[in-house]
Amino acid sequence: GEILLEMNQYDSAHFYLSKDTRDYDPYFKATHYLNWSIYEEKIKNLPKALEYSKRYAELLDTIYQKRLESKVVNLQHKYDYSLIQSENKLLKIKRQRLYISLTAICMAVLTVAVIFFYKRREEKRKLAEQMRSKDDLMKEMRLQLQEKTIDLHAAQEKIIEKETALDKELSQREKMRSEYSSKEAAMRKEILRHSEIIRKMEQLNKMSQQDKIQSRSVVLSDEEQDNLAEVINICYNNFTDRLWKKFPTLTKADISLCCLIKIGISNSNMLYLLDTNKVALKKRKNRLKHDKMGMDENDSLDEFIMEF
C-alpha cells in the first residue's frame, strides 16, 4: 500500500491499506494512521487527513510514555545489579585477604623448611668433597665438558642444515601456492565472464527501474539456472555437489539461490533474476537457513555460503 501510494495509484493503495489489521500494537497502529493521513491528503480530503494526523499524534504520546516506563524499569534493574556487584566485590575482597593470610603462613613454613634442607645438604656436600680428590674431580668434569661441547656443536650444525632446508621448502611451497591461487582466480573470473548470469547482470545494470520491473528477459530460466550451478561447481571446488551432500533435502531452486549468493549477487538484483519480491525472497532464505540447513537465528546465511 505504501509503495502504491508513493506511485500515486490511489485506488490500489486504498485497497491494500484497508487490509492492514495490525491494531494490536501501538507502533503498527501509528504507522496505519500515518499512511491513511498521507492518502487522504493526496486525494485532497483534508478534514479526514487532519483526523488521522491527530490519531497518529495521540499514539506517538502513548509510544513515548511506554518507552519512558521501559527506561525506568531498565534503570531499576541496573541499580539492583550494581548493588549485587558491590556485595560480590566485598565478598571477593574478604576472600582475597583470607587467601593472602593463608599464603603468607604457607610461605613462612616453606621458607623455614627450605633453609633447613639447604643447610643439611650443604653439610653433606662439604663432607663428600673432603672425601674425594679435587684434582680427579676437576679432570673428570673437564673431560665431560669437552665431550658435551663436541656433541653440542654437531647437533647445532644438524639443526642449522635442517632449518635451511625447511626454509627453502616452505618458500617454494608458498610460491607455488601463490601461483596456483592467482591462476585459479584468473580461471574462475574467465569462466564466470562467459556465463549467462554475467550477461544478465550487465543487462540489469543498463536498464532503468521501470524496465527492470516490466521486463521478463532478465529472469533466469530453468536451463540457465542449471548452467549456473555447473559453472559454480567448476569454479568453486564442486560447491554444489558438496552442498547437496551436506544438505540432501535442498531442491534445485535452493541450489540456484545459493549459487547467486556465492557469486555476490545482491538481494535487489535477485528479485529480478528469480522473478520474485522482497517478502518471498526473505521467506525463501529463512526456510533455507532454518528448515533445511538447521542454522541458528544469529547465524548469517550469506556468510556461511561465501565461506563454504
Side-chain angles (χ1 to χ4, degrees):
E2 292 174 0
I3 293 172
L4 292 169
L5 194 59
E6 292 177 358
M7 297 170 62
N8 296 327
Q9 297 184 13
Y10 302 129
D11 292 338
S12 299
H14 183 278
F15 175 78
Y16 284 103
L17 290 176
S18 63
K19 288 183 174 293
D20 188 2
T21 59
R22 298 175 296 176
D23 57 355
Y24 52 83
D25 186 277
Y27 296 92
F28 289 140
K29 189 180 290 185
T31 305
H32 181 75
Y33 287 145
L34 178 61
N35 289 333
W36 276 112
S37 174
I38 295 172
Y39 168 79
E40 296 293 345
E41 183 179 357
K42 286 195 173 188
I43 64 172
K44 307 303 182 182
N45 189 355
L46 298 181
K48 200 70 176 178
L50 180 60
E51 179 183 350
Y52 281 122
S53 296
K54 289 181 179 179
R55 294 183 184 180
Y56 172 69
E58 292 172 357
L59 280 173
L60 286 182
D61 293 338
T62 303
I63 292 171
Y64 174 77
Q65 185 64 30
K66 284 190 174 183
R67 288 181 176 174
L68 188 61
E69 293 173 358
S70 176
K71 288 182 179 179
V72 171
V73 172
N74 289 334
L75 287 174
Q76 182 64 40
H77 289 330
K78 289 181 179 179
Y79 176 74
D80 295 339
Y81 180 72
S82 64
L83 290 178
I84 295 173
Q85 281 188 326
S86 299
E87 293 176 358
N88 289 337
K89 288 181 179 179
L90 291 174
L91 290 174
K92 186 176 180 180
I93 292 172
K94 290 181 179 179
R95 286 197 298 268
Q96 288 177 347
R97 289 176 179 174
L98 179 60
Y99 291 153
I100 291 171
S101 300
L102 292 175
T103 303
I105 294 172
C106 292
M107 289 296 293
V109 174
L110 183 61
T111 302
V112 173
V114 169
I115 293 172
F116 178 78
F117 174 77
Y118 181 78
K119 287 183 177 180
R120 292 280 296 175
R121 191 181 67 173
E122 284 294 313
E123 290 174 357
K124 289 181 180 180
R125 186 180 63 80
K126 289 178 181 180
L127 290 174
E129 287 178 351
Q130 292 174 359
M131 292 176 64
R132 63 176 175 263
S133 173
K134 293 183 180 180
D135 294 338
D136 292 340
L137 180 61
M138 292 298 294
K139 183 178 179 180
E140 183 181 354
M141 291 177 63
R142 192 180 298 112
L143 291 173
Q144 291 179 356
L145 180 60
Q146 289 176 354
E147 292 176 356
K148 289 183 178 179
T149 301
I150 293 172
D151 294 340
L152 180 60
H153 284 313
Q156 286 179 343
E157 290 177 356
K158 290 182 179 179
I159 291 173
I160 292 173
E161 291 177 358
K162 290 182 178 179
E163 288 180 348
T164 303
L166 181 60
D167 290 340
K168 185 176 181 181
E169 184 179 354
L170 289 175
S171 178
Q172 290 176 351
R173 289 187 178 181
E174 182 65 24
K175 183 177 180 181
M176 292 174 62
R177 188 188 66 80
S178 179
E179 291 177 354
Y180 176 78
S181 299
S182 299
K183 290 180 180 179
E184 184 182 24
M187 182 179 67
R188 182 185 301 157
K189 184 177 180 180
E190 184 65 19
I191 293 174
L192 287 175
R193 191 172 65 84
H194 294 286
S195 174
E196 183 65 23
I197 186 67
I198 301 302
R199 188 186 66 79
K200 296 280 188 180
M201 290 304 301
E202 292 175 351
Q203 185 178 354
L204 270 175
N205 292 332
K206 295 177 181 179
M207 296 171 64
S208 65
Q209 186 66 27
Q210 188 66 26
D211 292 339
K212 290 179 181 179
I213 297 173
Q214 296 177 354
S215 176
R216 299 280 301 175
S217 62
V218 295
V219 178
L220 292 176
S221 64
D222 293 341
E223 182 180 356
E224 289 172 339
Q225 293 185 31
D226 292 339
N227 291 337
L228 173 63
E230 292 178 2
V231 170
I232 296 300
N233 212 29
I234 293 172
C235 293
Y236 294 95
N237 190 24
N238 298 323
F239 169 77
T240 57
D241 293 341
R242 291 186 289 107
L243 198 63
W244 234 325
K245 185 176 181 181
K246 186 174 179 64
F247 306 105
T249 59
L250 295 180
T251 63
K252 285 188 176 182
D254 296 331
I255 293 294
S256 297
L257 179 58
C258 292
C259 289
L260 292 176
I261 296 173
K262 185 67 175 177
I263 60 177
I265 302 300
S266 64
N267 288 339
S268 59
N269 285 333
M270 284 187 195
L271 300 179
Y272 306 112
L273 294 172
L274 299 178
D275 191 21
T276 185
N277 54 58
K278 290 183 179 179
V279 176
L281 180 60
K282 184 177 181 181
K283 288 182 178 179
R284 281 184 63 179
K285 283 193 170 184
N286 285 332
R287 186 164 54 251
L288 179 63
K289 173 180 176 181
H290 298 296
D291 300 342
K292 298 189 177 183
M293 292 185 173
M295 298 172 65
D296 296 332
E297 186 64 32
N298 295 329
D299 295 333
S300 172
L301 175 63
D302 290 10
E303 290 181 1
F304 175 77
I305 294 299
M306 294 299 291
E307 296 175 0
F308 184 81

